[in-house]
Amino acid sequence: MLKYLNILLYPFSLLYGLVMWLRNRFYDKGLLTAVEFDLPVIAAGNLSVGGTGKTPHVEYMIRLLKDHLKVATLSRGYNRRTSGYILADERSTAADIGDEPMQFHDKFPDIKVCVGEERMLAIPQLLGDEPDTQVVLLDDAFQHRSIKPGLNIMITDYSRLFTRDHVVPFGRLREGRQGYHRADCIIVSKCPPAMSKEEKLALEKEIKPLPHQRLFFTTLQYGALSDMITHHPVAVPKSATVLLACGIARPEPLLEELKRRYEQVYLLSFPDHYYYTEKDILKIKKECSDLPGTEKIVITTEKDAVRLHLLKGMLAEQNLQMAVIPVEIAFLFGEAELFNNFIFDYIGRHLPAPGQQ
């Protein structure tokens, strides 16, 4: 049945792909205008719909740059309950600016985080509010052609390479595969930590990076657990029963990591970017209490935590402790320094001299 449904969807994919191709051609030919700015603008995004691990890559660049330059991030603020341009402050919540920007704001209070659907208008507003900004990181902006970033980073999931995918609704691509031509840098994310050099060469041959493009491979690294409210470390024995409660696009890599750490792991999945309700808190508590074992723990992601924080009163009332597992990326084949230099070289060439910004 699914096979026949996919066949029926294929013509719609062709039509949508044609529309996106025409749109991109209009931008490429200058029939639609893309705005450039006089400071380094780095865009991180993907060709596919969600789940490529974009957020930890943006965080990697924040860590790389924040001690040297005045960094700001700009996101659309997907699924937030507000609209328009907002610069995050101490009162901001995930409902105001979206879960991923809120995660940046919580983890990196020394950078500026803002959201705005019309990013070509949001950057001037950001620079008006924070004129000392030296670098803007555009989050999930690969298809946002109204801005021409100085550096375009495209991230593709190792298990769902864009080279093997199709345009929605038949596949998961937001535009045709040829969209990768716009990238200055391609990152294959969520690779096996022990990926061989032979496989790396095979993927390089499959992706066929253009002469101007750099290709890197990264893997996910999960950190130690901490309490969602107090942020104190949480020690969990291997014999504990774990309930992973999360609303992310692809929980499978995290689920596999927890299964390596603990003997019994169960998944309670919610939609990506989901806003939890009080009923959901009760459901999570019941699911956990019904699991086997005497020692149990509920684990969630950092992205979920900023949304669950909206219900911290309910969590305290129900005496439901939730632990958060952080995730970072690591570059494979010893190429972290190559990537770092690639970023700093671009910034060095495009950073305005003092008084010129």
Side-chain angles (χ1 to χ4, degrees):
M1 181 66 182
L2 184 59
K3 177 182 177 181
Y4 294 115
L5 178 60
N6 283 338
I7 292 173
L8 290 173
L9 290 175
Y10 191 66
F12 294 98
S13 291
L14 292 176
L15 179 60
Y16 181 76
L18 176 62
V19 171
M20 291 302 294
W21 180 83
L22 287 171
R23 173 181 178 269
N24 285 325
R25 288 292 289 172
F26 288 165
Y27 274 110
D28 294 339
K29 295 295 184 181
L31 299 174
L32 293 176
T33 303
V35 178
E36 294 185 69
F37 292 91
D38 294 330
L39 80 166
V41 176
I42 302 174
N46 48 52
L47 283 181
S48 63
V49 179
T52 61
K54 172 182 54 61
T55 301
H57 285 82
V58 174
E59 290 187 352
Y60 180 95
M61 289 189 285
I62 293 173
R63 291 188 186 93
L64 177 67
L65 301 173
K66 68 182 181 64
D67 293 334
H68 309 280
L69 299 160
K70 294 188 182 301
V71 177
T73 66
L74 171 58
S75 311
R76 184 178 72 172
Y78 179 77
N79 206 30
R80 59 185 170 127
R81 295 171 178 171
T82 60
S83 62
Y85 167 82
I86 296 176
L87 180 65
D89 59 25
E90 67 279 358
R91 297 164 296 179
S92 297
T93 68
D96 300 323
I97 62 174
D99 51 10
E100 290 165 355
M102 191 65 207
Q103 184 175 319
F104 299 151
H105 185 54
D106 277 349
K107 294 178 74 171
F108 307 104
D110 49 346
I111 73 163
K112 301 302 177 182
V113 174
C114 66
V115 295
E117 298 89 347
E118 298 295 332
R119 279 168 271 200
M120 65 181 293
L121 301 177
I123 288 183
Q125 289 178 284
L126 165 65
L127 297 178
D129 290 339
E130 301 294 333
D132 293 337
T133 301
Q134 295 175 292
V135 180
V136 177
L137 301 179
L138 291 181
D139 180 29
D140 197 15
F142 198 73
Q143 283 75 37
H144 200 83
R145 297 295 306 272
S146 62
I147 288 180
K148 186 176 181 181
L151 195 64
N152 227 344
I153 298 175
M154 192 194 90
I155 303 165
T156 183
D157 189 330
Y158 166 86
S159 65
R160 293 179 175 178
L161 283 180
F162 74 94
T163 52
R164 306 168 190 173
D165 209 344
H166 301 273
V167 175
V168 294
F170 184 73
R172 295 178 57 83
L173 297 184
R174 299 173 177 177
E175 59 177 294
R177 298 172 190 172
Q178 70 275 11
Y180 90 95
H181 292 177
R182 296 198 307 278
D184 301 293
C185 171
I186 301 169
I187 298 177
V188 181
S189 65
K190 302 184 181 180
C191 296
M195 192 171 94
S196 67
K197 289 186 177 180
E198 290 75 18
E199 186 173 8
K200 175 190 177 187
L201 292 174
L203 291 178
E204 288 176 348
K205 187 175 180 180
E206 178 177 344
I207 292 170
K208 297 184 180 69
L210 302 176
H212 74 280
Q213 293 177 326
R214 302 295 298 271
L215 178 61
F216 295 95
F217 299 82
T218 63
T219 190
L220 296 178
Q221 292 185 335
Y222 293 94
L225 299 178
S226 62
D227 184 272
M228 196 187 84
I229 303 300
T230 67
H231 306 297
H232 295 156
V234 175
V236 180
K238 185 175 179 61
S239 58
T241 300
V242 169
L243 176 65
L244 171 60
C246 63
I248 56 177
R250 291 197 62 231
E252 294 85 2
L254 175 53
L255 191 63
E256 290 304 311
E257 170 66 20
L258 293 177
K259 287 179 178 178
R260 285 190 287 269
R261 294 189 185 190
Y262 307 108
E263 293 176 358
Q264 297 188 82
V265 180
Y266 299 84
L267 174 65
L268 178 58
S269 186
F270 295 87
D272 194 18
H273 298 283
Y274 179 72
Y275 280 99
Y276 295 89
T277 66
E278 293 186 351
K279 287 184 179 179
D280 296 321
I281 300 301
L282 296 175
K283 181 178 181 180
I284 293 170
K285 183 176 181 178
K286 184 177 187 307
E287 288 274 345
C288 185
S289 63
D290 289 345
L291 293 178
T294 55
E295 188 159 3
K296 308 170 189 179
I297 184 72
V298 180
I299 295 177
T300 194
T301 70
E302 293 175 300
K303 191 165 76 168
D304 286 283
V306 296
R307 285 179 268 118
L308 283 161
H309 205 77
L310 296 169
L311 295 170
K312 63 180 180 179
M314 176 74 171
L315 290 169
E317 179 184 311
Q318 294 297 318
N319 195 28
L320 177 60
Q321 182 190 29
M322 299 186 73
V324 177
I325 184 166
V327 61
E328 296 182 7
I329 60 105
F331 283 84
L332 298 178
F333 309 106
E335 293 186 335
E337 188 172 353
L338 284 175
F339 179 81
N340 296 352
N341 290 338
F342 175 69
I343 297 295
F344 278 118
D345 287 347
Y346 158 71
I347 292 173
R349 294 193 308 270
H350 295 84
L351 193 65
Q356 292 184 359
Q357 187 167 324

